Amino acid sequence: MCNNYVQLLEACIASKSLKHGKIIHQHLLKLSNNDFSSTQSLLLDKLTRLYISCNKPQLAERVFNSIHISERKYKIILWNQMIRAYAWDGPFEKAIDLYYEMVDSGVMPTKFTYPFVLKACSALQDVENGVKIHGHVKRLDLGCDVYVCTALVDFYMKCGCLEEAMEVFDRMLERDVVAWNAMISGFSLHGLCWDAIRLVLEMQHMGVNPNSSTVAAILPAIGEAGRWREGKAIHGFCLRRGFDGEEVVGTGLLDVYGKCGWLVYAKRMFGALRFKNEITWTAMIGAFVTCDATTEGLDLFRKMRVEVAVSPSPVMLATVIRGCAKLNDLNIGRQIHCYTIKLAYYCDLMVSNTILSMYAKCGPNNDAIRFFEEMPLKDPVSYSAIISGSVHNGNAEEALQIFLNMRKAGIELELATMMGFLPACSHLAALQHGVCGHGYSIVCGFTADVSICNSLIDMYSKCGKIDMARLVFDKMCERDVVSWNAMMVGYGIHGLAREAISMFHKMLNVGEKPDDITFIALLSACSHSGLVNEGKHWFLSMTQEYNIVPRMDHYFCMVDLLGRAGLLDEAWHFISGMPFEPDAQIWTALLAACRIHKNVELAEEVSNRIQSLEPEGTGNFVLLFNLYTTAQRWNDAAHVRIKQKNLGFKKSPGCSWIEVNGIVHAFVGGDGSHPESGKINKKLEEFLAEMKALGYKPESTFVYQDVEEEEKEKILLHHSEKLAVAFGIISLKPNRPIIVTKNLRVCGDCHAALKYITIITKREITVRDTSRFHHFRNGICSCGEFW
DNA sequence: ATAGGGTTAG
C-alpha cells in the first residue's frame, strides 16, 4: 500500500498537482491517526518534494519537520530545495533561518546551499548574515568553488559592498561567463558604467566570450549614463553575435536609445523585434515619454490595450502616469489612477508614489495632499514627493509641517527628501530649519552631492546669509552650471550686481558654459542695482556670443530693468520690438514701473492691455489702484476697485512672516490674532513716538483708503511687515538676526520706518520681499533706495 | 530587459 502512495505522490510531483497531493496528504493523515511521525519517512520525503515543486515551502517545511531528526540529517537535497524555495519568492528570512537550523542540526551544507541562502541575504540586504555565511564558506573549504564564489560576488555587489565583491572575484582561480556577469551587472546596478565596460573588455581579453546576459547586464548602465556611442557599439556587437533578436537584449537596446534621446532608433528596435513582451512595450512607452513624445507614448499604451489582452503591470502604469504628469494632463491621469484601483495596485508603493507625484506636478490643487493622506502605505519616497510637491504648489509651510511630522514618525531622511526640504526653507526664509538641514546633510554625507550644495547655496542666500552661501560654494569640490547660477541669483537679490558679474567672469574662466538661466540671473542682478548699460550689454552678448535665444523671461528682465530705471519710453519701444507677442507679465513689469515713476497716462494704457490678455489677474488692478491713490485721484481709484469687485477678484493680502525658534509666525496687515498681539502693538506705539522724535513722518500716500490722517497713521503702523519686525524684536535675543519675509513688495512707509527702528533698537533687520533683500542697519538700507 | 521622490529664473 505504501508503494502505491509513493507512486501516486511521484505522479503528483511530475504534474505539479497540488490539489491531488493535498488529498493524498489528508488520506495519509487519517491512516496514521493524525500522527505524522509514524508515517514512513519515504512518504514524508515525497510529500515534502511535492510541496516544494508546487512552490509551497511553508507546507513543505511542516511535513519535513515531522520526519525524525535522525533521518532529516541525511536529507540534504530537501534542505537545499526548501531554502531555494524560500529564497525564490520569500519570506526570505525563512531561507536564512532554515540554513542556520540546518547547520545547527549538524548537517553539512553543500556548494548548492550557498547560492540560495546568499540570494535571500541580498534580497533582504542583510550584510551581517551574508558575511557570517561567507565565514562558513571559508571554513568548509568551499572558497575555491566557482559556483559559491559567484554567489558571493553577486551578494556583495547587490548589497553595495563592491570592495568585498572584487576581493572574492580576484581570488577566484577560474571564472566563467556567469562569474564575470555577476561583476558586470553589479557595477551596472550602481551606475558604474565605465567599470562595467572595462570588465567586458577584460573578460574578452581573458578569452571568455560575453553572452547575451552580459549584454543585458551592461545596457542599463549605458542607458543611465546616456552613452549612446557605447550603446551603438554594443548594438553592432549584438548584430554580429545574433543577440539583437532576443527579447531581453532587444528591449535593453531599445531602452538605451530611448534614454539617449534617439527615438527613431528606439522605434526601429521595437519594430524589428519579432517577440515583444510586456517589458518591451513598457520600455517603448517609456522611451516616448523620455523623448518628449508623450502623446505618442499614450497612444501606444492604448494600442497595446487593444492588441494584447493582458492587464498592464504596475511598472507599465507607473510609466504611463509619468507621461500624464509630463503632459500636465489631469484627466488622463485620473483615469489611469482609477485603473490602478481597479487592478488593486494601490498597495504598490511605486505606483502610488508616481500617482502622488503626478498630482503634485499638475497642481496647484488639493489632490496631491488628499492622495498622500489616504495612502495606506508610505515610504521615504512618498514623503519626498509630497514635500517637494507642496513647495512646487506654493505651500512651503505645509511642506515644512509634513517634514516635521516625518521626523516625528522616525521616517528615514534621504537625499531627495532634503532636496525638497531645503527649497521649503528658502521660500519661508526659515534659516534655523535650513541650518539644521545643512548639519544633517553633512552628517549623512549628502554634502558630497552637487545638487544638495546648490540647494544649500539657494537656502542661505534666500535666508539672507549670502556669505554662508558663498562659503558653501567655495567649499564644493565639484560645481555645475546650477551652482554658478544659484550664486549669481543670490548676489542679485542682495543687490550685489558687481559680485554677480564677477562670478560670471569666473565661471567663464573655469570653462563652465552659461545657460539661459545664467542670463536671467545676470539681467535681474543688473535690474536690482540699476545697472542699465551693463544689462543692455549682456542682453546683446547673450545672443551674439553665447547663442542663447532670449525667452519671455529675458524680455521681462529687460523691461523691468528699463522700467525701474525710469526709462519708460525706452521700455515701451523695447516691448514693441519683441519678436513675439508680450504676455501679461511683461506689461505688468511696465505697469509697476509706471507706478514707481508715477506715470498715470501710460499706466492706463498698459492696464488695458493687461486686462485684454489676462482678465483673471489682480496684480494689475492693485497697481493701478495704488497709482491713482498716490496721485490722489480717489474717484478713479474707487472705479478700479468697483471694477475689480464686479469681476469677482480679491487682492491677495500682504503677508509677512518670521521664524522664531523653528516656528514660522505669519501676520497680515492690522492683524490682531497673534497671541502676543498686545505686546506687539505696545512696542509699535513706543517706536512711533521715538521715530517721530527722530523726524519720521508717516507717509500717508501709502494708505490707499480715503480716511482721516489719524486713521491712516494707525493703518500704517500695523502693516504686516512692521508687525512681524516688532514680534521679532520682542521675542528674539538682541544677538539674533531679524529676518522678515513678505509676499509682496515692501511698502514705502515701512521701508522708511524700519530704518528708524534700526537706529532706535541698534539691531540689524533684514526684509526679503518678492524681488530682493533689504538689509537695514544704522538707519540705512542696502538697497540704496532702489527697489 | 521596463520602474517612484530632486537643485538654479520672475
Side-chain angles (χ1 to χ4, degrees), chain A residues 397 428 654-660 663-669 671-675 680 720-721 723-724 727 740-741:
Chain A
E397 225 179 322
L428 295 168
C655 177
S656 302
W657 60 89
I658 182 168
E659 182 199 41
V660 171
I663 297 166
V664 176
H665 299 258
F667 299 86
V668 291
D671 200 334
S673 63
H674 194 274
I680 294 169
S720 67
E721 46 269 61
L723 291 173
F727 177 66
V740 167
T741 313

Side-chain angles (χ1 to χ4, degrees), chain A residues 492-506:
Chain A
I493 58 178
H494 281 86
L496 301 165
R498 294 285 167 213
E499 274 81 354
I501 295 169
S502 120
M503 281 315 263
F504 180 73
H505 290 302
K506 281 193 185 127

